[in-house]
Amino acid sequence: MNASRPHATTRSPLQLAALVVGAVFLLVGVLGFIPGVTTNVDELEFAGHQSDAMLLGIFEVSILHNVVHLLFGVAGIALSRTWAGARNFLIGGGVVYLLLWLYGMVIPHDSEANFVPLNAADNWLHLFLGLGMVALGFVLGRGAVRTRV
């Protein structure tokens, strides 16, 4: 065994939650481009409500929507490396999803302002994601154990 190798660090529950959430976003971003998982993938638009592609036949997606999921996933995985990064990802990302939920509730689905695109299923998902991520960030972030190396 190499004595100069740094000891392995374990992830806190907060960091593990951020890692899992990030991995799920990454997976969803990839699945948004796969025919069969996404219906009407040949009608995938870059952005806007004109995209008729539906992830799992339920959630309206576009290229931009999928790319955002991919980037969000990469951010979650990268930020899960530290306790503060994981907490910021979960709480900050949760707030972003709550704002998306609010946006989806205010903007008509067939409006030109609906550039994401969003439908009713997306709105409910964004509400539950936002609440869940914020809750994970606060609940798992309460009992931080700080150690000096």
Side-chain angles (χ1 to χ4, degrees), residues 53-124:
M54 304 285 275
L55 178 63
L56 303 173
I58 301 170
F59 305 103
E60 192 172 355
V61 293
S62 66
I63 294 170
L64 178 62
H65 204 151
N66 292 335
V67 168
V68 168
H69 286 144
L70 291 168
L71 293 173
F72 218 75
V74 169
I77 291 168
L79 290 169
S80 74
R81 296 174 72 187
T82 67
W83 184 90
R87 187 169 191 270
N88 289 337
F89 170 72
L90 290 170
I91 294 172
V95 168
V96 167
Y97 272 90
L98 289 173
L99 290 173
L100 269 174
W101 167 73
L102 186 60
Y103 177 84
M105 297 303 289
V106 172
I107 300 299
H109 295 157
D110 59 351
S111 166
E112 288 299 317
N114 185 10
F115 66 94
V116 177
L118 301 170
N119 63 14
D122 288 304
N123 290 339
W124 286 108

Side-chain angles (χ1 to χ4, degrees), residues 1 5 7 9 18-19 24-25 32-33 37 43 45 53-54 69 72-73 75 77 92 107 123 125 141 149:
M1 193 178 217
R5 192 171 106 188
H7 65 295
T9 59
L19 178 65
V24 169
F25 274 111
F33 291 110
V37 178
E43 297 178 32
E45 296 285 331
M54 304 285 275
H69 286 144
F72 218 75
I77 291 168
I107 300 299
N123 290 339
L125 181 62
V149 181

